[in-house]
Amino acid sequence: LLGQDSSFVEGDVARIFDALDVEDRAAAAAAAAAAAAAAAGASAASAASAASSSAAAAAAAAAAAAAGAAAASSSVGQASNQGSRSQLRASRVHLQPLTGPIRPPATFETWDDFDAEMAADQNAFAEQQHATSPPAQNGKVQVMKPPKKLLRSVGQAIRDWNMIEDGDRLCLGLSGGKDSLSLLHVLLDLQKRAPVKFSLACATVDPETPSFDPRPLIPYVKSLGVPYHFLGDAIVDRAKISMQGDSLCSFCSRMKRGMLYTCCEQHDYNKLVLAQHVDDLNESFMMSALHNGQLRTMKANYEVPERGGLRVIRPLVYCREAWTRDFATKAALPVINENCPACFEQPKERDRIKKLLRREESLFPELSGTIRRAILPLMDERIYETIKQLNRDLEERQKTNGKKKKSGRKGVENESRKRVAESEAGAREETRARADKRQKTSEGS
């Protein structure tokens, strides 16, 4: 692609050098040209002699890198389950060999230092977003760095909810969707920078349906050097036999969650990482309020008591769905389409709520942030016991007031009957007295 226009090559390489802050451009270009030419089958000496000036070196390096990168990226493309995506990834030119010496990722003492780093260098990152995923090097895929907005929001959520502590063993539930794949690369980046040390693994549940095949994730995760657990179970077939009065989506979700819990127990992971974002939380809140009459949503960090103290964390609770979608697209992540057969083949209420919120957000752009502030207390696992106790107290008062009303009505009825009886007795007494008086008068006559 770069070889089509030499002026484009020189101008674009110059901009890349500016963005990456390479000090010795001529030396870096000559070294890149030599390495790329050697990878393509040419000798390093001929490439170095061709790089007599910085512009010529950049052009030679770009042309050689185009051939080498296309071949290397074709192996990465095999991780995708779509042929068109594989061809697209193989045709892209990765300019990582032209970058020269790059500053290694920084490490931080505290989360405040991490936030400060995430807020800096916005201009440099804007240039980096135009690049695609670099090819595999030493058997590992080099993916573009996640956006600082995404990193900063995840770091804030981890700090606010105390999600990750030193020595934690995390297991990410990797569905193959844009959210879980984006979170995987965010956590890999945080591993190098965060002030706490933690280990990371991934687990995928294969429901064994024709519409969802996550097997392309196996070589991809392996190329990242991340421990991986691939769990297979015919969940949809089991639902046809065992599901009673429930939706396929709910049944599948419970089965997958149970398998992930078991995987964490068997391999000694103390925290299960899920990739629901703030849009998922907003939708769950609306569904719970409108259809169940309850104040509930997904929790940010909670314990699963029946699983030996296993905790579930959601680092994306402050992130919008659009952020993960943009990153997955620009980084060419191997997203598995239709990653939930129940949701895609049988759209239910969540899809209607999603459309409702999208329509309202077009009128009120701050809607998502407003709902997030409203449901922030509901992300805490402790609030639900308080809500339950308040509901129990209210029901008890209602029962007590109902008994008082019943007893009050009985007293009024008794009093009324008593007054009627007294009135009737008085009337009878008066009638008897008049009868006696008439009788005496008659006898006297």
Side-chain angles (χ1 to χ4, degrees):
L1 294 177
L2 290 177
Q4 294 177 0
D5 187 352
S6 60
S7 62
F8 170 78
V9 171
E10 296 177 11
D12 206 53
V13 170
R15 285 192 295 272
I16 293 171
F17 279 151
D18 290 336
L20 297 172
D21 193 21
V22 178
E23 296 179 359
D24 192 348
R25 300 187 181 187
S43 65
S46 62
S49 62
S52 57
S53 65
S54 60
S73 61
S74 62
S75 62
V76 181
Q78 295 175 358
S80 173
N81 67 329
Q82 298 181 3
S84 59
R85 177 168 292 164
S86 300
Q87 296 172 4
L88 176 61
R89 187 180 294 111
S91 66
R92 285 175 173 166
V93 176
H94 304 290
L95 298 173
Q96 185 68 16
L98 299 178
T99 61
I102 302 300
R103 182 180 61 184
T107 57
F108 304 98
E109 297 279 338
T110 64
W111 285 111
D112 292 333
D113 296 337
F114 173 80
D115 288 340
E117 173 68 14
M118 292 301 100
D121 300 332
Q122 291 292 341
N123 293 333
F125 176 71
E127 293 288 338
Q128 180 185 349
Q129 280 188 316
H130 295 290
T132 56
S133 304
Q137 297 178 358
N138 298 327
K140 292 186 178 181
V141 172
Q142 304 295 321
V143 180
M144 67 176 284
K145 180 181 174 181
K148 287 185 181 287
K149 179 169 57 175
L150 193 59
L151 290 169
R152 185 166 58 248
S153 297
V154 170
Q156 181 182 354
I158 291 174
R159 181 180 59 185
D160 288 352
W161 299 99
N162 195 28
M163 292 185 181
I164 301 179
E165 299 174 298
D166 198 43
D168 278 345
R169 288 174 50 81
L170 309 182
C171 180
L172 170 64
L174 188 66
S175 66
K178 62 186 185 309
D179 303 321
S180 59
L181 281 170
S182 298
L183 182 55
L184 169 60
H185 290 287
V186 169
L187 292 176
L188 288 175
D189 188 85
L190 287 179
Q191 251 187 336
K192 306 171 186 176
R193 300 165 171 267
V196 295
K197 302 299 180 183
F198 61 91
S199 62
L200 176 65
C202 295
T204 298
V205 177
D206 181 9
E208 299 180 358
T209 63
S211 59
F212 175 53
D213 181 15
R215 293 190 179 276
L217 292 173
I218 298 176
Y220 181 77
V221 177
K222 182 180 179 181
S223 68
L224 295 173
V226 178
Y228 191 43
H229 308 282
F230 194 84
L231 315 172
D233 189 13
I235 296 178
V236 177
D237 292 339
R238 183 184 299 185
K240 297 176 182 178
I241 302 174
S242 305
M243 188 175 67
Q244 296 179 354
D246 202 355
S247 67
L248 176 60
C249 186
S250 299
F251 182 85
C252 184
S253 177
R254 285 198 304 271
M255 293 298 297
K256 287 182 178 179
R257 190 70 59 86
M259 295 177 69
L260 291 175
Y261 289 164
T262 302
C263 178
C264 290
E265 287 181 329
Q266 293 176 347
H267 298 89
D268 198 26
Y269 299 116
N270 66 319
K271 289 183 180 177
L272 173 64
V273 187
L274 301 179
Q276 285 89 1
H277 43 70
V278 67
D279 294 279
D280 291 326
L281 270 67
N282 292 347
E283 293 160 12
S284 295
F285 168 72
M286 294 296 294
M287 291 173 63
S288 180
L290 295 178
H291 299 287
N292 299 327
Q294 297 180 349
L295 292 176
R296 296 189 67 86
T297 190
M298 301 177 187
K299 297 181 280 289
N301 181 2
Y302 66 97
E303 183 179 358
V304 186
E306 64 273 14
R307 294 289 181 165
L310 175 68
R311 299 197 71 86
V312 177
I313 61 175
R314 294 184 169 98
L316 294 180
V317 291
Y318 292 166
C319 302
R320 296 300 307 272
E321 182 180 12
W323 303 353
T324 60
R325 183 190 301 114
D326 292 344
F327 171 62
T329 301
K330 292 175 181 177
L333 300 181
V335 176
I336 308 296
N337 285 337
E338 297 186 357
N339 59 354
C340 180
C343 294
F344 281 90
E345 295 177 2
Q346 302 179 20
K348 297 295 182 181
E349 189 59 30
R350 180 172 290 274
D351 184 60
R352 287 191 285 270
I353 294 294
K354 183 187 290 288
K355 293 178 180 178
L356 169 66
L357 292 177
R358 189 182 302 126
R359 184 172 62 251
E360 292 301 313
E361 192 172 7
S362 66
L363 301 175
F364 306 100
E366 302 298 325
L367 179 66
S368 177
T370 302
I371 297 179
R372 196 196 85 173
R373 288 194 297 273
I375 67 175
L376 204 59
L378 300 178
M379 297 184 194
D380 194 323
E381 62 178 336
R382 298 170 296 179
I383 193 66
Y384 292 97
E385 187 58 38
T386 303
I387 293 176
K388 287 180 181 178
Q389 185 60 45
L390 290 174
N391 287 331
R392 285 194 293 265
D393 294 344
L394 181 59
E395 290 175 359
E396 195 65 30
R397 286 196 296 269
Q398 290 174 343
K399 290 179 180 179
T400 303
N401 293 335
K403 290 179 180 178
K404 288 182 179 180
K405 289 181 179 179
K406 289 181 180 179
S407 61
R409 285 195 297 270
K410 287 181 180 179
V412 170
E413 292 174 358
N414 292 336
E415 186 67 23
S416 178
R417 283 195 294 268
K418 184 179 179 181
R419 285 197 299 268
V420 171
E422 289 176 353
S423 177
E424 291 176 350
R428 285 194 298 271
E429 187 66 27
E430 185 178 353
T431 301
R432 190 180 301 111
R434 284 197 300 268
D436 290 344
K437 185 177 181 179
R438 284 195 300 271
Q439 184 177 0
K440 287 181 181 180
T441 303
S442 176
E443 289 175 354
S445 302

